[in-house]
Amino acid sequence: MTLTISAVLLFGIASVIAVKARAANAGGAVLLFLFGFFTAGTGAYGPIHDLVASFARFLSQLGN
């Protein structure tokens, strides 16, 4: 059984946690940046989505 979760939901939850914890570091900034692009769906959505998907594939192949 495969569990899938929306990137918007994942980044949204993480963004709320980062804001509540006042995480003002580079990781928090990247998190909020990605959440904004995934929710807005602007013209930059395609390249950013491809970058995040590529990074996710890289992380999944590390365990093999």
Side-chain angles (χ1 to χ4, degrees):
M1 181 174 147
T2 303
L3 176 69
T4 59
I5 187 165
S6 169
V8 174
L9 179 65
L10 181 67
F11 286 128
I13 292 170
S15 295
V16 168
I17 293 170
V19 169
K20 292 268 187 191
R22 295 186 176 145
N25 55 19
V30 169
L31 179 74
L32 292 172
F33 172 79
L34 289 172
F35 177 62
F37 269 107
F38 277 107
T39 55
T42 63
Y45 175 81
I48 291 173
H49 181 267
D50 293 343
L51 177 70
V52 171
S54 175
F55 187 68
R57 281 191 300 272
F58 168 74
L59 288 178
S60 69
Q61 291 178 358
L62 280 178
N64 292 336

